Amino acid sequence: MTGAKTAVEWLASVAPDPEACRWEWERNPLGVALLPAGRAWDVLILPGDLGCPTLDVLTRVLDRPGPVLVDSGDNRVGFFVPPGTAARWLGTGIRTAGPGTWIVVPYPGRATHGVRWLVPPDGSGTLTDPALLELAMHEAAAGPARERGEGG
C-alpha cells in the first residue's frame, strides 16, 4: 500500500462509517471530512504563534513527529497525540480534542482549501509523545524571550 492510501485507511478507521468518510473526502469540494477524536488519537490545538515554532523544535529532535494539522490562516496547529491525552492535559491556552469531539480532517496528500497537513499521517499510527510535545512547547516559548535578552 502506498503511504497516502495507508494514511487514508488509518484515518477513516475511526469514522463511524469508514466508507462514508472516504466518500465524503472524494465528494466534498473542500476535500475534508469530520472525524471523531478520542479513538485512535486525541488532538492538542496550539495557537499558531506557539504551534509553528513547537513543530520546528520537534522536527529538530525527531525523525518524524505524529500528524500535524494547521488551519488556513496558520492560527491554530493541531498535534495528534495518544488517546487519553486530552483528558489529562493541563496547559493554559491549549485546546484539546478527545472523546466526544470531532475535527475537520483533510484527505492526506491532496491540496485542500482551509485546514491542511503540516505533517501528514503515514498510516503507521505514529503519534507525538505528549511529554516531548510539552518540552518542545517550552523551548519554543522560551525562544522569543531569549531573543529579547530575558531570562537566564
Side-chain angles (χ1 to χ4, degrees):
M1 257 200 236
T2 66
K5 183 172 171 60
T6 305
V8 167
E9 296 304 316
W10 179 71
L11 288 167
S13 72
V14 304
D17 182 346
E19 193 56 40
C21 174
R22 287 187 287 275
W23 187 92
E24 182 71 15
W25 269 324
E26 293 298 324
R27 310 289 182 300
N28 184 320
L30 298 177
V32 298
L34 280 175
L35 291 177
R39 292 183 180 176
W41 33 260
D42 285 356
V43 182
L44 297 180
I45 305 162
L46 284 59
D49 59 352
L50 176 61
C52 291
T54 296
L55 180 58
D56 289 343
V57 171
L58 278 176
T59 56
R60 286 196 311 260
V61 297
L62 291 175
D63 287 336
R64 180 174 171 80
V68 181
L69 288 171
V70 66
D71 67 6
S72 61
D74 293 354
N75 295 318
R76 289 180 297 278
V77 180
F79 292 84
F80 281 49
V81 293
T85 302
R88 296 186 305 272
W89 193 262
L90 300 174
T92 303
I94 309 302
R95 295 175 48 199
T96 62
T101 60
W102 295 72
I103 63 165
V104 174
V105 178
Y107 187 94
R110 189 178 298 156
T112 61
H113 301 287
V115 66
R116 69 186 191 285
W117 293 107
L118 289 177
V119 179
D122 61 7
S124 70
T126 298
L127 300 168
T128 298
D129 178 283
L132 189 55
L133 177 60
E134 183 176 14
L135 291 172
M137 289 169 49
H138 287 291
E139 184 172 328
R146 275 194 305 267
E147 291 166 9
R148 290 189 308 267
E150 299 171 13

